[in-house]
Amino acid sequence: MQLKEQQPSMNVDQQIENLKMLGLRIVNEEYARRILNDISYFRLIKAYGLGLKGKNKNFDGSISFEQIVELYLFNANFRQLLFTWIEQIEVNLRCRVANHFSHIYGVLGYEDPDNFNDPGYHYDFLCEIKKEISRNSKAPFVKNFKNNYTDGKIPFYALVELFSFGTLSKFYKNMKPQDKKAVATLYGVGYTYLESWVEHIAFVRNICAHYGRLYNVNLAKTPKLYKQYTEKGISSIRVFATLLCIKHLITNDQHWTAFVDKLDKLFHKYPHVYKKLMGFPDDWVNILNE
């Protein structure tokens, strides 16, 4: 395969001319200029123009610059709505894992590899935690335990606050089956599902945290879905699967119903968004509210 040469850099005016040459309809050049001064060409056009070009890699003249901006703005708003629920799950899981593990193994039980499935991962975990403690050495609670307790060690119920969601996911995955089951029971789900969902949600959380794209993207880390969803043809590689995982990990109350309503309004606000590219079935509102 012949490798491509790097393309030369273009200023904003050149970017606009290039888009015109590619067949993208630009109604308002001043608006396009303003947008491209705020959002990079690569982040906007390369990502949200996917699937909108023909086989010749050009637009057919029916797609406007404003439509692509609409997809970008939808993604940003959707990401913010989703992140609120991910944050709630992360805080909740920290609490439940810390409460269970500390009660069963003691507040320093995380130091003992016998309390875990995989001693090899446990060693890596301790190395990772050592770095996090050093990085957060000026945090008040870290200084408190190091300076005011005889061993200077941080109890697990406090240590867990230094975990990234990814570390929390890996910690849960390395717990013994009976311990994973005890935590999963608090959610009313099987631990193999909880393990899969948490790993998936942690992956999506990182996309959200880095302002990434959830629209029209195949997610590399997929969750294990209930049969009732797979039988409906719901894909585990699209972000609707993430919503299904979250639905089963939170209380289905008026806040969740309000979220579904906000999401429905968001789709109406941005009519060029194609829900199928996010894995949404036609009856998605009913599925999320049932």
Side-chain angles (χ1 to χ4, degrees):
M1 184 180 70
Q2 186 175 3
L3 298 178
K4 297 179 181 180
E5 295 290 336
Q6 292 286 353
Q7 296 179 338
S9 175
M10 296 182 289
N11 63 34
V12 170
D13 287 333
Q14 289 171 329
Q15 290 171 16
I16 291 173
E17 290 305 311
N18 185 66
L19 290 174
K20 288 180 183 179
M21 290 176 58
L22 292 175
L24 186 66
R25 186 160 48 89
I26 299 180
V27 178
N28 185 331
E29 288 193 20
E30 186 54 41
Y31 173 76
R33 190 172 290 106
R34 191 164 66 249
I35 291 294
L36 290 170
N37 266 309
D38 289 337
I39 308 167
S40 77
Y41 183 104
F42 181 82
R43 174 180 286 273
L44 181 65
I45 305 299
K46 293 292 187 180
Y48 296 92
L50 284 175
L52 298 178
K53 292 181 178 180
K55 291 182 179 180
N56 62 355
K57 297 184 180 180
N58 287 345
F59 299 99
D60 64 4
S62 67
I63 305 298
S64 71
F65 179 83
E66 287 75 11
Q67 283 177 243
I68 294 180
V69 174
E70 182 178 311
L71 299 181
Y72 176 88
L73 294 176
F74 167 83
N75 187 80
N77 282 273
F78 173 73
R79 190 177 60 229
Q80 290 167 6
L81 283 177
L82 185 62
F83 195 82
T84 300
W85 289 102
I86 293 176
E87 180 182 23
Q88 179 178 322
I89 289 171
E90 182 177 354
V91 171
N92 181 269
L93 185 65
R94 285 179 195 273
C95 173
R96 294 182 178 187
V97 167
N99 285 348
H100 172 80
F101 195 88
S102 298
H103 177 70
I104 299 297
Y105 300 107
V107 296
L108 298 178
Y110 65 87
E111 295 184 326
D112 188 348
D114 291 337
N115 296 334
F116 298 88
N117 259 341
D118 184 347
Y121 167 70
H122 176 259
Y123 175 78
D124 293 339
F125 160 73
L126 289 181
C127 292
E128 189 174 333
I129 284 303
K130 186 176 180 180
K131 292 178 183 176
E132 283 301 313
I133 292 174
S134 175
R135 193 168 67 85
N136 291 276
S137 60
K138 294 183 179 180
F141 80 90
V142 173
K143 291 169 66 176
N144 175 54
F145 286 111
K146 292 187 73 173
N147 297 333
N148 298 315
Y149 287 77
T150 53
D151 54 13
K153 296 178 179 179
I154 302 177
F156 185 67
Y157 60 79
L159 183 74
V160 75
E161 297 299 327
L162 297 179
F163 286 11
S164 67
F165 200 174
T167 299
L168 181 63
S169 170
K170 288 186 283 187
F171 185 92
Y172 179 77
K173 191 172 185 178
N174 198 35
M175 288 167 65
K176 293 181 176 181
Q178 65 267 28
D179 297 316
K180 287 192 278 192
K181 183 177 180 180
V183 174
T185 299
L186 299 173
Y187 292 97
V189 303
Y191 77 80
T192 56
Y193 283 100
L194 181 60
E195 183 178 299
S196 169
W197 296 351
V198 168
E199 189 172 22
H200 169 73
I201 293 170
F203 174 79
V204 173
R205 187 255 181 221
N206 285 339
I207 294 176
C208 292
H210 293 91
Y211 320 110
R213 180 166 53 92
L214 294 170
Y215 179 74
N216 190 19
V217 66
N218 290 338
L219 300 170
K221 187 70 67 176
T222 59
K224 181 179 180 180
L225 294 180
Y226 286 147
K227 188 177 180 181
Q228 70 195 71
Y229 300 131
T230 57
E231 287 180 342
K232 286 178 176 284
I234 294 173
S235 172
S236 63
I237 66 174
R238 297 289 187 167
V239 74
F240 186 72
T242 311
L243 298 183
L244 294 177
C245 299
I246 292 173
K247 166 185 162 62
H248 287 282
L249 295 179
I250 54 94
T251 304
N252 193 350
D253 58 11
Q254 69 273 18
H255 299 293
W256 177 253
T257 304
F259 163 73
V260 175
D261 185 55
K262 286 180 183 177
L263 187 51
D264 192 31
K265 290 177 179 176
L266 196 62
F267 282 128
H268 283 89
K269 182 179 180 180
Y270 298 107
H272 289 102
V273 169
Y274 188 43
K275 293 190 284 292
K276 296 287 186 182
L277 292 177
M278 301 171 70
F280 281 66
D282 292 335
D283 58 343
W284 69 272
V285 172
N286 293 332
I287 292 174
L288 290 182
N289 279 331
E290 65 187 12

